[in-house]
Amino acid sequence: MTFKEKTLSVLIAATFAAGMYYHARLLAEQQRAELAEQQLKSTAASLQKIQHSQRDVAKLDDAYTKELIHAQNTIDALRRDVAIGVKRLRLTATCKGQLPRTDAAPGVDDATAPELTADARQAYFRLREELALTRSALTGLQEYVQQQCLK
């Protein structure tokens, strides 16, 4: 084999080796790009799920906030009506500890109608507010768990 043939063979072998090397690198980079693309798609899907979940939670929050505001407005209206005398709080009570008058007709007590004190009336309204708040919060949390956590 002549020098030219040897040189040509070496050049062909070197070109072939370089081609194989760069082909292997190309395949590795393609695999890396495919993996990155899969991860990007997965991340985008996760982000979309999170955004959807956040919209659902915002809708739940909005609905229960409106319900709570409505309950608070109802309680405030009742409080105003009781304060100005349009409505009265009714309760079942017995007036104990009072002795019947001896000069009155039998069966008639010397008692006035039972009524709540101002402090008891405020406590009643406070309890109604707390009950409405608790009921709304509990219902909202139950729906949140059902829609978001148990999916």
Side-chain angles (χ1 to χ4, degrees):
M1 201 189 263
T2 67
F3 179 73
K4 281 185 176 179
E5 290 174 341
K6 286 182 185 179
T7 305
L8 187 59
S9 298
V10 168
L11 282 175
I12 290 173
T15 304
F16 181 73
M20 293 300 290
Y21 170 76
Y22 286 112
H23 180 69
R25 294 239 353 228
L26 173 68
L27 292 177
E29 288 300 315
Q30 283 177 339
Q31 286 178 340
R32 198 170 72 96
E34 287 174 6
L35 179 63
E37 189 175 332
Q38 288 173 352
Q39 289 174 340
L40 179 63
K41 286 179 182 177
S42 175
T43 302
S46 295
L47 182 60
Q48 190 174 17
K49 242 181 175 179
I50 290 169
Q51 288 172 339
H52 185 330
S53 177
Q54 287 174 334
R55 281 191 298 270
D56 289 348
V57 169
K59 287 178 189 175
L60 279 174
D61 184 51
D62 188 45
Y64 285 102
T65 299
K66 286 179 182 177
E67 183 179 312
L68 186 58
I69 289 170
H70 175 70
Q72 184 64 45
N73 290 340
T74 303
I75 292 167
D76 289 343
L78 179 61
R79 179 181 282 138
R80 276 191 310 276
D81 289 348
V82 168
I84 62 175
V86 173
K87 290 185 180 177
R88 295 181 64 186
L89 293 178
R90 292 186 181 217
L91 59 125
T92 305
T94 332
C95 297
K96 294 186 178 183
Q98 293 183 351
L99 297 173
R101 289 179 31 197
T102 54
D103 61 341
V108 177
D109 288 339
D110 187 20
T112 59
E115 210 176 297
L116 291 175
T117 63
D119 289 340
R121 189 176 300 124
Q122 289 307 313
Y124 168 79
F125 288 120
R126 205 171 318 112
L127 285 172
R128 283 188 64 125
E129 288 171 353
E130 290 173 9
L131 177 63
L133 176 64
T134 302
R135 187 177 290 150
S136 179
L138 183 60
T139 307
L141 285 172
Q142 287 173 336
E143 194 166 336
Y144 173 80
V145 167
Q146 289 172 352
Q147 288 186 7
Q148 301 300 318
C149 300
L150 299 178
K151 278 187 176 181

